[in-house]
Amino acid sequence: MKTKENDIILQTCTKVVLFIIILFSVHSFFAGHYEPGGGFIGGLMTSGALVLLLIAYDKKTVAKILPIDYKIMIAVGLLFAVGTAAGAIFFNVPFLTHAFGHIDLPILGDTSLHTATLFDLGVYLVVIGVTMTIIQTIGEDE
Amino acid sequence: MLETIVSIALLMIAIAMAMLIYRVIKGPTTPDRVIALDALGINLVAIVALTSILLKTSAFLDIILLIAILAFIGTVAFSKYLEKGVIIENERNR
């Protein structure tokens, strides 16, 4: 006879570690312009955190916590990438030309903002969407 | 001086990793291999840290955290497969 299974250690660890992984992925997403990192590795780490959640709990619980259709996420990410690239056309510059500038934000002060970040956000969303779609499709039994 | 010490440490970790690879290949049971792979990942963290000291760069420090997180997730996934036979359940039976 099998004893009753209880994943209390794994689930409590996941609750702590999950946020560290997501913070790390957000950090490497925003650090991508000046340091190693960027949309691809950030998206992979975020989906790694979601995979850890899927391992510790089950698919129904995760779908209840994060009611996201990852196929729509891929579409939104591609829209961000194409939209950032196509936005350049309206300013009489070639396709995929990016713009940047220094803007005074209320709390952060002088910040250099670049439209490449929006392109990177598209990459980030596509990577999360593709990874989670693959893993959830393979993970489906019966 | 520092380079000599770091080189000696790298050599020691390389020996430890060779012994762990022996355990991965020989290991009589699957849990032995999983534990050896986990320890290999942690030794890889030490290798990356020592190499970034040797190269005098801080560009690899993100990789350390990355390898540690991936080793943890991989070990947890292997352990769950060994324990329950599935990695991602559709619905838990509580």
mmCIF file with all atom_site columns, all heavy atoms in Angstrom, chain B residues 67-89:
data_model
loop_
_atom_site.group_PDB
_atom_site.id
_atom_site.type_symbol
_atom_site.label_atom_id
_atom_site.label_alt_id
_atom_site.label_comp_id
_atom_site.label_asym_id
_atom_site.label_entity_id
_atom_site.label_seq_id
_atom_site.pdbx_PDB_ins_code
_atom_site.Cartn_x
_atom_site.Cartn_y
_atom_site.Cartn_z
_atom_site.occupancy
_atom_site.B_iso_or_equiv
_atom_site.pdbx_formal_charge
_atom_site.auth_seq_id
_atom_site.auth_comp_id
_atom_site.auth_asym_id
_atom_site.auth_atom_id
_atom_site.pdbx_PDB_model_num
ATOM 1   N N   . ILE B 1 67 ? 22.747 28.725 -13.734 1.00 0.00 ? 67 ILE B N   1
ATOM 2   C CA  . ILE B 1 67 ? 23.060 27.292 -13.636 1.00 0.00 ? 67 ILE B CA  1
ATOM 3   C C   . ILE B 1 67 ? 22.449 26.720 -12.362 1.00 0.00 ? 67 ILE B C   1
ATOM 4   O O   . ILE B 1 67 ? 21.898 25.616 -12.374 1.00 0.00 ? 67 ILE B O   1
ATOM 5   C CB  . ILE B 1 67 ? 24.583 27.062 -13.660 1.00 0.00 ? 67 ILE B CB  1
ATOM 6   C CG1 . ILE B 1 67 ? 25.139 27.445 -15.022 1.00 0.00 ? 67 ILE B CG1 1
ATOM 7   C CG2 . ILE B 1 67 ? 24.914 25.610 -13.384 1.00 0.00 ? 67 ILE B CG2 1
ATOM 8   C CD1 . ILE B 1 67 ? 26.640 27.348 -15.093 1.00 0.00 ? 67 ILE B CD1 1
ATOM 9   N N   . ALA B 1 68 ? 22.514 27.504 -11.258 1.00 0.00 ? 68 ALA B N   1
ATOM 10  C CA  . ALA B 1 68 ? 21.968 27.000 -9.991  1.00 0.00 ? 68 ALA B CA  1
ATOM 11  C C   . ALA B 1 68 ? 20.468 26.767 -10.118 1.00 0.00 ? 68 ALA B C   1
ATOM 12  O O   . ALA B 1 68 ? 19.952 25.720 -9.696  1.00 0.00 ? 68 ALA B O   1
ATOM 13  C CB  . ALA B 1 68 ? 22.273 27.992 -8.871  1.00 0.00 ? 68 ALA B CB  1
ATOM 14  N N   . ILE B 1 69 ? 19.745 27.727 -10.738 1.00 0.00 ? 69 ILE B N   1
ATOM 15  C CA  . ILE B 1 69 ? 18.288 27.587 -10.881 1.00 0.00 ? 69 ILE B CA  1
ATOM 16  C C   . ILE B 1 69 ? 17.961 26.401 -11.785 1.00 0.00 ? 69 ILE B C   1
ATOM 17  O O   . ILE B 1 69 ? 17.079 25.588 -11.477 1.00 0.00 ? 69 ILE B O   1
ATOM 18  C CB  . ILE B 1 69 ? 17.687 28.894 -11.434 1.00 0.00 ? 69 ILE B CB  1
ATOM 19  C CG1 . ILE B 1 69 ? 17.761 29.998 -10.385 1.00 0.00 ? 69 ILE B CG1 1
ATOM 20  C CG2 . ILE B 1 69 ? 16.256 28.694 -11.866 1.00 0.00 ? 69 ILE B CG2 1
ATOM 21  C CD1 . ILE B 1 69 ? 17.440 31.365 -10.933 1.00 0.00 ? 69 ILE B CD1 1
ATOM 22  N N   . LEU B 1 70 ? 18.690 26.285 -12.903 1.00 0.00 ? 70 LEU B N   1
ATOM 23  C CA  . LEU B 1 70 ? 18.388 25.195 -13.840 1.00 0.00 ? 70 LEU B CA  1
ATOM 24  C C   . LEU B 1 70 ? 18.691 23.841 -13.214 1.00 0.00 ? 70 LEU B C   1
ATOM 25  O O   . LEU B 1 70 ? 17.942 22.878 -13.420 1.00 0.00 ? 70 LEU B O   1
ATOM 26  C CB  . LEU B 1 70 ? 19.185 25.376 -15.130 1.00 0.00 ? 70 LEU B CB  1
ATOM 27  C CG  . LEU B 1 70 ? 18.707 26.519 -16.014 1.00 0.00 ? 70 LEU B CG  1
ATOM 28  C CD1 . LEU B 1 70 ? 19.516 26.573 -17.286 1.00 0.00 ? 70 LEU B CD1 1
ATOM 29  C CD2 . LEU B 1 70 ? 17.246 26.375 -16.344 1.00 0.00 ? 70 LEU B CD2 1
ATOM 30  N N   . ALA B 1 71 ? 19.785 23.758 -12.424 1.00 0.00 ? 71 ALA B N   1
ATOM 31  C CA  . ALA B 1 71 ? 20.109 22.488 -11.762 1.00 0.00 ? 71 ALA B CA  1
ATOM 32  C C   . ALA B 1 71 ? 18.999 22.112 -10.788 1.00 0.00 ? 71 ALA B C   1
ATOM 33  O O   . ALA B 1 71 ? 18.598 20.949 -10.706 1.00 0.00 ? 71 ALA B O   1
ATOM 34  C CB  . ALA B 1 71 ? 21.442 22.598 -11.037 1.00 0.00 ? 71 ALA B CB  1
ATOM 35  N N   . PHE B 1 72 ? 18.479 23.126 -10.046 1.00 0.00 ? 72 PHE B N   1
ATOM 36  C CA  . PHE B 1 72 ? 17.399 22.857 -9.092  1.00 0.00 ? 72 PHE B CA  1
ATOM 37  C C   . PHE B 1 72 ? 16.160 22.343 -9.814  1.00 0.00 ? 72 PHE B C   1
ATOM 38  O O   . PHE B 1 72 ? 15.583 21.318 -9.431  1.00 0.00 ? 72 PHE B O   1
ATOM 39  C CB  . PHE B 1 72 ? 17.081 24.131 -8.309  1.00 0.00 ? 72 PHE B CB  1
ATOM 40  C CG  . PHE B 1 72 ? 15.877 24.011 -7.428  1.00 0.00 ? 72 PHE B CG  1
ATOM 41  C CD1 . PHE B 1 72 ? 15.903 23.163 -6.335  1.00 0.00 ? 72 PHE B CD1 1
ATOM 42  C CD2 . PHE B 1 72 ? 14.731 24.720 -7.703  1.00 0.00 ? 72 PHE B CD2 1
ATOM 43  C CE1 . PHE B 1 72 ? 14.799 23.037 -5.527  1.00 0.00 ? 72 PHE B CE1 1
ATOM 44  C CE2 . PHE B 1 72 ? 13.625 24.596 -6.894  1.00 0.00 ? 72 PHE B CE2 1
ATOM 45  C CZ  . PHE B 1 72 ? 13.653 23.756 -5.813  1.00 0.00 ? 72 PHE B CZ  1
ATOM 46  N N   . ILE B 1 73 ? 15.744 23.064 -10.897 1.00 0.00 ? 73 ILE B N   1
ATOM 47  C CA  . ILE B 1 73 ? 14.521 22.653 -11.591 1.00 0.00 ? 73 ILE B CA  1
ATOM 48  C C   . ILE B 1 73 ? 14.697 21.263 -12.204 1.00 0.00 ? 73 ILE B C   1
ATOM 49  O O   . ILE B 1 73 ? 13.802 20.417 -12.127 1.00 0.00 ? 73 ILE B O   1
ATOM 50  C CB  . ILE B 1 73 ? 14.142 23.696 -12.657 1.00 0.00 ? 73 ILE B CB  1
ATOM 51  C CG1 . ILE B 1 73 ? 13.764 25.014 -11.983 1.00 0.00 ? 73 ILE B CG1 1
ATOM 52  C CG2 . ILE B 1 73 ? 12.976 23.217 -13.498 1.00 0.00 ? 73 ILE B CG2 1
ATOM 53  C CD1 . ILE B 1 73 ? 13.441 26.115 -12.948 1.00 0.00 ? 73 ILE B CD1 1
ATOM 54  N N   . GLY B 1 74 ? 15.879 21.008 -12.784 1.00 0.00 ? 74 GLY B N   1
ATOM 55  C CA  . GLY B 1 74 ? 16.114 19.707 -13.386 1.00 0.00 ? 74 GLY B CA  1
ATOM 56  C C   . GLY B 1 74 ? 16.070 18.582 -12.367 1.00 0.00 ? 74 GLY B C   1
ATOM 57  O O   . GLY B 1 74 ? 15.460 17.530 -12.603 1.00 0.00 ? 74 GLY B O   1
ATOM 58  N N   . THR B 1 75 ? 16.697 18.816 -11.210 1.00 0.00 ? 75 THR B N   1
ATOM 59  C CA  . THR B 1 75 ? 16.704 17.769 -10.183 1.00 0.00 ? 75 THR B CA  1
ATOM 60  C C   . THR B 1 75 ? 15.301 17.509 -9.657  1.00 0.00 ? 75 THR B C   1
ATOM 61  O O   . THR B 1 75 ? 14.913 16.356 -9.437  1.00 0.00 ? 75 THR B O   1
ATOM 62  C CB  . THR B 1 75 ? 17.635 18.183 -9.035  1.00 0.00 ? 75 THR B CB  1
ATOM 63  O OG1 . THR B 1 75 ? 18.877 18.572 -9.588  1.00 0.00 ? 75 THR B OG1 1
ATOM 64  C CG2 . THR B 1 75 ? 17.845 17.045 -8.080  1.00 0.00 ? 75 THR B CG2 1
ATOM 65  N N   . VAL B 1 76 ? 14.531 18.613 -9.466  1.00 0.00 ? 76 VAL B N   1
ATOM 66  C CA  . VAL B 1 76 ? 13.162 18.436 -8.981  1.00 0.00 ? 76 VAL B CA  1
ATOM 67  C C   . VAL B 1 76 ? 12.333 17.652 -9.991  1.00 0.00 ? 76 VAL B C   1
ATOM 68  O O   . VAL B 1 76 ? 11.566 16.746 -9.629  1.00 0.00 ? 76 VAL B O   1
ATOM 69  C CB  . VAL B 1 76 ? 12.531 19.817 -8.688  1.00 0.00 ? 76 VAL B CB  1
ATOM 70  C CG1 . VAL B 1 76 ? 11.040 19.692 -8.518  1.00 0.00 ? 76 VAL B CG1 1
ATOM 71  C CG2 . VAL B 1 76 ? 13.128 20.419 -7.448  1.00 0.00 ? 76 VAL B CG2 1
ATOM 72  N N   . ALA B 1 77 ? 12.516 17.956 -11.292 1.00 0.00 ? 77 ALA B N   1
ATOM 73  C CA  . ALA B 1 77 ? 11.743 17.252 -12.318 1.00 0.00 ? 77 ALA B CA  1
ATOM 74  C C   . ALA B 1 77 ? 12.102 15.768 -12.344 1.00 0.00 ? 77 ALA B C   1
ATOM 75  O O   . ALA B 1 77 ? 11.217 14.906 -12.403 1.00 0.00 ? 77 ALA B O   1
ATOM 76  C CB  . ALA B 1 77 ? 11.999 17.886 -13.683 1.00 0.00 ? 77 ALA B CB  1
ATOM 77  N N   . PHE B 1 78 ? 13.424 15.456 -12.269 1.00 0.00 ? 78 PHE B N   1
ATOM 78  C CA  . PHE B 1 78 ? 13.853 14.056 -12.243 1.00 0.00 ? 78 PHE B CA  1
ATOM 79  C C   . PHE B 1 78 ? 13.272 13.332 -11.034 1.00 0.00 ? 78 PHE B C   1
ATOM 80  O O   . PHE B 1 78 ? 12.775 12.201 -11.144 1.00 0.00 ? 78 PHE B O   1
ATOM 81  C CB  . PHE B 1 78 ? 15.376 13.975 -12.192 1.00 0.00 ? 78 PHE B CB  1
ATOM 82  C CG  . PHE B 1 78 ? 16.016 13.763 -13.535 1.00 0.00 ? 78 PHE B CG  1
ATOM 83  C CD1 . PHE B 1 78 ? 16.949 14.637 -14.014 1.00 0.00 ? 78 PHE B CD1 1
ATOM 84  C CD2 . PHE B 1 78 ? 15.673 12.662 -14.302 1.00 0.00 ? 78 PHE B CD2 1
ATOM 85  C CE1 . PHE B 1 78 ? 17.544 14.439 -15.245 1.00 0.00 ? 78 PHE B CE1 1
ATOM 86  C CE2 . PHE B 1 78 ? 16.254 12.458 -15.532 1.00 0.00 ? 78 PHE B CE2 1
ATOM 87  C CZ  . PHE B 1 78 ? 17.188 13.353 -16.003 1.00 0.00 ? 78 PHE B CZ  1
ATOM 88  N N   . SER B 1 79 ? 13.338 14.008 -9.861  1.00 0.00 ? 79 SER B N   1
ATOM 89  C CA  . SER B 1 79 ? 12.866 13.364 -8.631  1.00 0.00 ? 79 SER B CA  1
ATOM 90  C C   . SER B 1 79 ? 11.378 13.068 -8.711  1.00 0.00 ? 79 SER B C   1
ATOM 91  O O   . SER B 1 79 ? 10.918 11.999 -8.306  1.00 0.00 ? 79 SER B O   1
ATOM 92  C CB  . SER B 1 79 ? 13.137 14.260 -7.429  1.00 0.00 ? 79 SER B CB  1
ATOM 93  O OG  . SER B 1 79 ? 14.400 14.822 -7.517  1.00 0.00 ? 79 SER B OG  1
ATOM 94  N N   . LYS B 1 80 ? 10.620 14.030 -9.283  1.00 0.00 ? 80 LYS B N   1
ATOM 95  C CA  . LYS B 1 80 ? 9.179  13.809 -9.380  1.00 0.00 ? 80 LYS B CA  1
ATOM 96  C C   . LYS B 1 80 ? 8.883  12.666 -10.347 1.00 0.00 ? 80 LYS B C   1
ATOM 97  O O   . LYS B 1 80 ? 7.970  11.872 -10.116 1.00 0.00 ? 80 LYS B O   1
ATOM 98  C CB  . LYS B 1 80 ? 8.484  15.086 -9.830  1.00 0.00 ? 80 LYS B CB  1
ATOM 99  C CG  . LYS B 1 80 ? 6.986  14.926 -9.794  1.00 0.00 ? 80 LYS B CG  1
ATOM 100 C CD  . LYS B 1 80 ? 6.261  16.214 -9.643  1.00 0.00 ? 80 LYS B CD  1
ATOM 101 C CE  . LYS B 1 80 ? 4.789  15.939 -9.638  1.00 0.00 ? 80 LYS B CE  1
ATOM 102 N NZ  . LYS B 1 80 ? 3.987  17.147 -9.702  1.00 0.00 ? 80 LYS B NZ  1
ATOM 103 N N   . TYR B 1 81 ? 9.691  12.577 -11.425 1.00 0.00 ? 81 TYR B N   1
ATOM 104 C CA  . TYR B 1 81 ? 9.479  11.471 -12.362 1.00 0.00 ? 81 TYR B CA  1
ATOM 105 C C   . TYR B 1 81 ? 9.753  10.137 -11.674 1.00 0.00 ? 81 TYR B C   1
ATOM 106 O O   . TYR B 1 81 ? 8.987  9.176  -11.842 1.00 0.00 ? 81 TYR B O   1
ATOM 107 C CB  . TYR B 1 81 ? 10.382 11.636 -13.581 1.00 0.00 ? 81 TYR B CB  1
ATOM 108 C CG  . TYR B 1 81 ? 10.275 10.492 -14.533 1.00 0.00 ? 81 TYR B CG  1
ATOM 109 C CD1 . TYR B 1 81 ? 9.125  10.315 -15.289 1.00 0.00 ? 81 TYR B CD1 1
ATOM 110 C CD2 . TYR B 1 81 ? 11.288 9.554  -14.653 1.00 0.00 ? 81 TYR B CD2 1
ATOM 111 C CE1 . TYR B 1 81 ? 8.994  9.257  -16.147 1.00 0.00 ? 81 TYR B CE1 1
ATOM 112 C CE2 . TYR B 1 81 ? 11.176 8.485  -15.508 1.00 0.00 ? 81 TYR B CE2 1
ATOM 113 C CZ  . TYR B 1 81 ? 10.030 8.338  -16.258 1.00 0.00 ? 81 TYR B CZ  1
ATOM 114 O OH  . TYR B 1 81 ? 9.904  7.275  -17.086 1.00 0.00 ? 81 TYR B OH  1
ATOM 115 N N   . LEU B 1 82 ? 10.822 10.079 -10.871 1.00 0.00 ? 82 LEU B N   1
ATOM 116 C CA  . LEU B 1 82 ? 11.149 8.818  -10.195 1.00 0.00 ? 82 LEU B CA  1
ATOM 117 C C   . LEU B 1 82 ? 10.085 8.465  -9.164  1.00 0.00 ? 82 LEU B C   1
ATOM 118 O O   . LEU B 1 82 ? 9.774  7.292  -8.952  1.00 0.00 ? 82 LEU B O   1
ATOM 119 C CB  . LEU B 1 82 ? 12.510 8.922  -9.505  1.00 0.00 ? 82 LEU B CB  1
ATOM 120 C CG  . LEU B 1 82 ? 13.706 9.031  -10.438 1.00 0.00 ? 82 LEU B CG  1
ATOM 121 C CD1 . LEU B 1 82 ? 14.963 9.253  -9.623  1.00 0.00 ? 82 LEU B CD1 1
ATOM 122 C CD2 . LEU B 1 82 ? 13.834 7.793  -11.275 1.00 0.00 ? 82 LEU B CD2 1
ATOM 123 N N   . GLU B 1 83 ? 9.523  9.516  -8.512  1.00 0.00 ? 83 GLU B N   1
ATOM 124 C CA  . GLU B 1 83 ? 8.594  9.253  -7.408  1.00 0.00 ? 83 GLU B CA  1
ATOM 125 C C   . GLU B 1 83 ? 7.197  8.904  -7.916  1.00 0.00 ? 83 GLU B C   1
ATOM 126 O O   . GLU B 1 83 ? 6.566  7.985  -7.420  1.00 0.00 ? 83 GLU B O   1
ATOM 127 C CB  . GLU B 1 83 ? 8.534  10.502 -6.519  1.00 0.00 ? 83 GLU B CB  1
ATOM 128 C CG  . GLU B 1 83 ? 7.733  10.350 -5.256  1.00 0.00 ? 83 GLU B CG  1
ATOM 129 C CD  . GLU B 1 83 ? 8.400  9.423  -4.250  1.00 0.00 ? 83 GLU B CD  1
ATOM 130 O OE1 . GLU B 1 83 ? 9.635  9.233  -4.317  1.00 0.00 ? 83 GLU B OE1 1
ATOM 131 O OE2 . GLU B 1 83 ? 7.663  8.888  -3.412  1.00 0.00 ? 83 GLU B OE2 1
ATOM 132 N N   . LYS B 1 84 ? 6.709  9.662  -8.926  1.00 0.00 ? 84 LYS B N   1
ATOM 133 C CA  . LYS B 1 84 ? 5.313  9.516  -9.323  1.00 0.00 ? 84 LYS B CA  1
ATOM 134 C C   . LYS B 1 84 ? 5.112  8.994  -10.733 1.00 0.00 ? 84 LYS B C   1
ATOM 135 O O   . LYS B 1 84 ? 3.999  8.669  -11.111 1.00 0.00 ? 84 LYS B O   1
ATOM 136 C CB  . LYS B 1 84 ? 4.621  10.888 -9.208  1.00 0.00 ? 84 LYS B CB  1
ATOM 137 C CG  . LYS B 1 84 ? 4.511  11.352 -7.774  1.00 0.00 ? 84 LYS B CG  1
ATOM 138 C CD  . LYS B 1 84 ? 3.639  12.581 -7.666  1.00 0.00 ? 84 LYS B CD  1
ATOM 139 C CE  . LYS B 1 84 ? 3.511  12.994 -6.213  1.00 0.00 ? 84 LYS B CE  1
ATOM 140 N NZ  . LYS B 1 84 ? 2.799  14.264 -6.090  1.00 0.00 ? 84 LYS B NZ  1
ATOM 141 N N   . GLY B 1 85 ? 6.179  9.003  -11.562 1.00 0.00 ? 85 GLY B N   1
ATOM 142 C CA  . GLY B 1 85 ? 6.024  8.501  -12.916 1.00 0.00 ? 85 GLY B CA  1
ATOM 143 C C   . GLY B 1 85 ? 5.590  9.547  -13.911 1.00 0.00 ? 85 GLY B C   1
ATOM 144 O O   . GLY B 1 85 ? 5.707  9.348  -15.106 1.00 0.00 ? 85 GLY B O   1
ATOM 145 N N   . VAL B 1 86 ? 5.073  10.699 -13.423 1.00 0.00 ? 86 VAL B N   1
ATOM 146 C CA  . VAL B 1 86 ? 4.756  11.814 -14.312 1.00 0.00 ? 86 VAL B CA  1
ATOM 147 C C   . VAL B 1 86 ? 5.458  13.055 -13.763 1.00 0.00 ? 86 VAL B C   1
ATOM 148 O O   . VAL B 1 86 ? 5.732  13.139 -12.572 1.00 0.00 ? 86 VAL B O   1
ATOM 149 C CB  . VAL B 1 86 ? 3.234  12.087 -14.404 1.00 0.00 ? 86 VAL B CB  1
ATOM 150 C CG1 . VAL B 1 86 ? 2.553  11.013 -15.187 1.00 0.00 ? 86 VAL B CG1 1
ATOM 151 C CG2 . VAL B 1 86 ? 2.644  12.232 -13.033 1.00 0.00 ? 86 VAL B CG2 1
ATOM 152 N N   . ILE B 1 87 ? 5.743  13.997 -14.663 1.00 0.00 ? 87 ILE B N   1
ATOM 153 C CA  . ILE B 1 87 ? 6.370  15.239 -14.215 1.00 0.00 ? 87 ILE B CA  1
ATOM 154 C C   . ILE B 1 87 ? 5.306  16.315 -14.002 1.00 0.00 ? 87 ILE B C   1
ATOM 155 O O   . ILE B 1 87 ? 5.312  17.029 -13.017 1.00 0.00 ? 87 ILE B O   1
ATOM 156 C CB  . ILE B 1 87 ? 7.434  15.694 -15.228 1.00 0.00 ? 87 ILE B CB  1
ATOM 157 C CG1 . ILE B 1 87 ? 8.577  14.676 -15.262 1.00 0.00 ? 87 ILE B CG1 1
ATOM 158 C CG2 . ILE B 1 87 ? 7.991  17.054 -14.843 1.00 0.00 ? 87 ILE B CG2 1
ATOM 159 C CD1 . ILE B 1 87 ? 9.646  15.012 -16.234 1.00 0.00 ? 87 ILE B CD1 1
ATOM 160 N N   . ILE B 1 88 ? 4.366  16.422 -14.958 1.00 0.00 ? 88 ILE B N   1
ATOM 161 C CA  . ILE B 1 88 ? 3.298  17.419 -14.823 1.00 0.00 ? 88 ILE B CA  1
ATOM 162 C C   . ILE B 1 88 ? 1.974  16.673 -14.764 1.00 0.00 ? 88 ILE B C   1
ATOM 163 O O   . ILE B 1 88 ? 1.570  16.020 -15.719 1.00 0.00 ? 88 ILE B O   1
ATOM 164 C CB  . ILE B 1 88 ? 3.322  18.407 -16.003 1.00 0.00 ? 88 ILE B CB  1
ATOM 165 C CG1 . ILE B 1 88 ? 4.625  19.187 -16.011 1.00 0.00 ? 88 ILE B CG1 1
ATOM 166 C CG2 . ILE B 1 88 ? 2.148  19.361 -15.911 1.00 0.00 ? 88 ILE B CG2 1
ATOM 167 C CD1 . ILE B 1 88 ? 4.812  20.021 -17.232 1.00 0.00 ? 88 ILE B CD1 1
ATOM 168 N N   . GLU B 1 89 ? 1.325  16.773 -13.601 1.00 0.00 ? 89 GLU B N   1
ATOM 169 C CA  . GLU B 1 89 ? 0.054  16.078 -13.447 1.00 0.00 ? 89 GLU B CA  1
ATOM 170 C C   . GLU B 1 89 ? -1.081 16.940 -13.978 1.00 0.00 ? 89 GLU B C   1
ATOM 171 O O   . GLU B 1 89 ? -0.988 18.162 -13.972 1.00 0.00 ? 89 GLU B O   1
ATOM 172 C CB  . GLU B 1 89 ? -0.210 15.788 -11.968 1.00 0.00 ? 89 GLU B CB  1
ATOM 173 C CG  . GLU B 1 89 ? 0.793  14.855 -11.346 1.00 0.00 ? 89 GLU B CG  1
ATOM 174 C CD  . GLU B 1 89 ? 0.784  14.973 -9.838  1.00 0.00 ? 89 GLU B CD  1
ATOM 175 O OE1 . GLU B 1 89 ? 1.260  15.989 -9.331  1.00 0.00 ? 89 GLU B OE1 1
ATOM 176 O OE2 . GLU B 1 89 ? 0.270  14.062 -9.194  1.00 0.00 ? 89 GLU B OE2 1
#
